[in-house]
Each structure stands twice: as C-alpha cells, then as structure tokens.
Amino acid sequence: MTRFDTYFEAALSERAAQGTRRTLRPITRHNGTIQRDGRHLADVASNDYLGLADHPLLRERAAEWAQRFGTGARASRLVTGTLDLHDAVEHKIAAFKKAEAALLFASGWQANAAVIPALCALSLAQTGHKMLAFTDRLNHASLHHGFAAADIRQQRFAHNDLAHLEQLLIRHADTPGLRMIVTESVFSMDGDRADIPALRALADRYNALLYIDEAHATGVLGTDGRGLADGQADIIMGTCSKAMGGMGAFIAGSHALRDYLINHASGLIYSTALPPAVLGAIDAALDLLPSLNERRETLQSNAAHLRTRLHAAGLSTLDSSTQIIPVVFSSPERTLAIAQTLEDAGFLVGAIRPPTVPKDTARLRLALHSALDHNSLNTLADIILQEAIS
C-alpha cells in the first residue's frame, strides 16, 4: 500500500460514479482475429484501418531486421542510437509525404508533446515573444499537452470554423511573435476532415506556419494513401501505428526543421531510438501503401454505407466523412451498455466518454477496417438501431 492509496481510491470512485472510470481489458490476437473472455470478436475499435498489423510482409521484415540488426537501438539518436536503418526509413517517409526530410519519434503522442514546445521555444528565442498558437478546439490531447508544457495560451477556434480562425488571426495581427495554425486533418473522435487548402491560404495570408496532425489520414486518404496535407503543410506529424500497422511516428518538413528538432526536441534527444523490428515494419508498410487503393476504396465505401443506415434511423454521426464514425448517445452509462451489447453479439467497439470527448457527447466510436464485409456491417447497424430505440 502506498501513502496516497486512499486518495487514488477516492478519485477512482468519483470516476465510477460519473460512468467514466476506465479499465484495461486484455484481448488475444491471432491471425487477424480477436478473442476476449472466450468469444471471437469483429474488430470495430482499433485503428488498423487497412489490416497491415497482420500483413505477412510487415511480419517478415520486422523479424528479418530483428534477426540481422538486434532487438534494440541501444541508445538515443544523439549517442549511438542512429542506425543507417533510421536514415533510410526517414528518407522513404519524406518521399512518401512529399517533404524535404523526416524525423522518427517513438509515438504520435511523444512527437506532438515534444515538437510543439520546441517550436514555441523558437519564437521566444528568435523574437523575444511567445508563440501565437491558433488551434482547433477538438485537437488531440497530445497537442494541447504540448502547448501546456510550453506555457502557451492557445487561441482556440471553434471546431473546423475557419471564419472564427480568421477572426482570431485578425485580432492578433499586430501581436508580436511567431504564429502557427495547428489542426488534425482527420479528427480522431469525430471522423471529420479539416479543409487543408483553406487553412493553407489563411496561413499564407497571415504569415503563420501550418502544422497538420495526419495520424488518422496517413495511409487511408489522399493519393496512394499519402494523407490530406499532400505537400500543403509546413509540418506534418504522422503515425506508423494506425493504418501503417506498426509503431512509431514521424515529423515531415524541411531539412532546417529536422536539424532544429534534433537539437531542441526533448522527446527525441532523451529517448532511446526505435528498434530495428519496428523500423522493418515501417519500411514494409511504406512499400505496400501505394498498392492498396482497392482496400482504401472498400473502406470508404463501407463507411458511407454504414453512415447511410444510421442516418436513416435519425442517429447522429456528427460530420464524419471517413472510416471513423461516431454514434452519439450523450449518456456515458448508455454508451457503455450499448458497447457491451455489441460485444455480446461479437463486435468490439469503443465506448468513448468524457473527458476524452466533451461533456454530453459520449459515443460509440466505430473504427472500420477494410476487411469488414457488408453482412457484418449490416448486423452491426441492426444492433445499434435496435438499441437506439429500446
């Protein structure tokens, strides 16, 4: 027992009373199937949108690189951890993202949480003034954390409201300091998209850097799965742990940006480098992504079909236009109950509650993958619709 256990328990009891306490529930994965408590489940919860986490090429290259190069990078990139493998994979990422250069990080969270403070420090060091950050209100928690760590008060615009963003840019037009616009291209809890060309135009008009988190677009959307930014962002953060089926993340941008982050991004400087097996999986995914147009088309077609069925019954999926489909039920308790009913019927679905999403917007988060067939989707929709009217 620790000195704070009574306080821990009190805090957990508060979460339980609100219907927002989280628990870890293990699953078993084998050859693309999921088992929990003895039941086989269809995965409608994970971010493995193209099924690459079980692809034989990723398995083979991860195993091959581990056998050839060992299980760990052994040190940070600035000590002895930079392998020729890191440089080769980064060059491949940069070409894929139409950028001059790329830099690997351990995860998307780590990348955002490390890079944002480094960029904010640049403004203070070079201009003597804090960074002006114009951010979408529904940005991922890692982005908000990065600005909090840098002691920056964000100028948050209403979700995807570019008129509001421009009002804020005009209001602060004479405020000294560097400025940046930060958004996701596909929002992880709402499944909707940012208007990247319009954001690029605003960034150019008001002399702001454009930072796009492409975690849920990379591999899934855009030409050959390159994402929505498609050369229009100054900085792209992408993850290798979702549609790319592996682990890790990257920042793509200019050579000068890469060199700056090597010197100023604490998450890179003080972390052991990604191991060879992880790099092998990333390398294999990059080889595969341009050839997966059929999977991407199937994924988006299935998402459109499911949304149509849900809308016909009057259910809200917010402004989803991607493989992520939120079904809003407001009440955390009801959302949990419906998720359990779905699990009992053979579907693993995320029940997302505050504080992950705003108050009164608890939802099922349906994360589709390309292998789900229409029969499964229709069964899933039937159960949700039945629960919605009960």
Side-chain angles (χ1 to χ4, degrees):
M1 182 172 179
T2 71
R3 187 178 299 274
F4 284 2
D5 275 7
T6 55
Y7 302 107
F8 296 147
E9 294 296 343
L12 290 168
S13 295
E14 290 174 10
R15 279 289 180 90
Q18 297 163 0
T20 59
R21 179 170 176 171
R22 300 178 176 98
T23 59
L24 298 176
R25 299 182 61 201
I27 62 168
T28 300
R29 292 182 71 250
H30 180 67
N31 291 333
T33 66
I34 289 177
Q35 295 182 46
R36 175 183 281 166
D37 300 331
R39 288 197 299 266
H40 288 274
L41 302 173
D43 181 9
V44 198
S46 79
N47 301 317
D48 185 21
Y49 304 125
L50 301 176
L52 293 190
D54 291 299
H55 196 286
L57 185 62
L58 272 71
R59 290 172 179 259
E60 291 164 9
R61 197 165 299 172
E64 176 195 350
W65 285 23
Q67 287 287 347
R68 290 174 60 192
F69 305 111
T71 59
R74 300 177 176 84
S76 73
R77 294 288 297 274
L78 288 168
V79 182
T80 60
T82 295
L83 310 174
D84 55 358
L85 304 176
H86 290 99
D87 285 342
V89 169
E90 285 168 345
H91 278 102
K92 211 167 185 176
I93 290 169
F96 179 68
K97 282 293 189 178
K98 297 183 180 179
E100 291 180 6
L103 189 63
L104 287 161
F105 285 81
S107 72
W109 174 279
Q110 187 214 37
N112 282 335
V115 171
I116 293 295
L119 295 173
C120 292
L122 179 72
S123 181
L124 198 58
Q126 297 299 314
T127 73
H129 300 280
K130 285 189 172 184
M131 177 71 75
L132 290 163
F134 301 89
T135 64
D136 192 289
R137 190 171 295 279
L138 294 188
N139 276 349
H140 192 269
S142 58
L143 293 165
H144 294 311
H145 179 88
F147 286 113
D151 192 28
I152 296 296
R153 182 179 182 275
Q154 300 174 64
Q155 303 299 319
R156 300 191 189 190
F157 56 93
H159 178 51
N160 271 343
D161 186 339
L162 300 194
H164 185 208
L165 168 59
E166 185 162 23
Q167 289 173 8
L168 293 173
L169 288 164
I170 292 170
R171 185 182 305 166
H172 293 276
D174 296 325
T175 305
L178 301 180
R179 60 203 64 224
M180 60 193 297
I181 298 169
V182 182
T183 185
E184 299 179 59
S185 58
V186 171
F187 288 83
S188 60
M189 291 296 118
D190 289 40
D192 54 351
R193 313 178 192 209
D195 186 341
I196 306 299
L199 285 163
R200 177 71 269 168
L202 284 173
D204 290 342
R205 191 177 309 148
Y206 295 97
N207 193 29
L209 177 142
L210 181 58
Y211 184 117
I212 304 291
D213 181 326
E214 286 258 84
H216 293 273
T218 295
V220 179
L221 297 170
T223 303
D224 294 335
R226 297 178 195 276
L228 295 178
D230 197 26
Q232 299 174 84
D234 297 298
I235 300 177
I236 291 170
M237 195 290 291
T239 55
C240 309
S241 55
K242 297 176 178 62
M244 289 178 66
M247 188 59 197
F250 56 85
I251 294 291
S254 68
H255 290 298
L257 168 70
R258 182 180 189 273
D259 290 345
Y260 175 79
L261 294 177
I262 289 170
N263 285 275
H264 292 273
S266 60
L268 176 104
I269 296 167
Y270 301 112
S271 292
T272 300
L274 289 176
V278 170
L279 296 174
I282 296 171
D283 190 69
L286 289 167
D287 286 343
L288 285 170
L289 285 178
S291 68
L292 299 180
N293 286 332
E294 185 174 346
R295 291 194 188 192
R296 284 186 281 270
E297 290 168 5
T298 297
L299 180 61
Q300 299 307 327
S301 174
N302 285 346
H305 171 74
L306 183 54
R307 276 193 298 271
T308 297
R309 288 214 55 198
L310 296 170
H311 291 168
L315 292 179
S316 170
T317 62
L318 302 178
D319 291 321
S320 168
S321 63
T322 67
Q323 72 281 359
I324 301 167
I325 304 176
V327 189
V328 179
F329 289 102
S330 299
S331 161
E333 293 80 8
R334 190 176 184 210
T335 303
L336 282 170
I338 296 174
Q340 186 59 57
T341 298
L342 286 164
E343 183 172 327
D344 293 341
F347 293 95
L348 183 61
V349 172
I352 310 300
R353 297 154 288 154
T356 303
V357 292
K359 185 180 179 182
D360 299 325
T361 68
R363 68 198 63 179
L364 299 178
R365 178 183 182 270
L366 308 180
L368 306 189
H369 60 83
S370 56
L372 285 169
D373 58 35
H374 267 246
N375 287 337
S376 295
L377 289 171
N378 284 327
T379 301
L380 174 69
D382 289 341
I383 297 169
I384 294 173
L385 297 180
Q386 183 178 351
E387 289 298 309
I389 62 176
S390 63

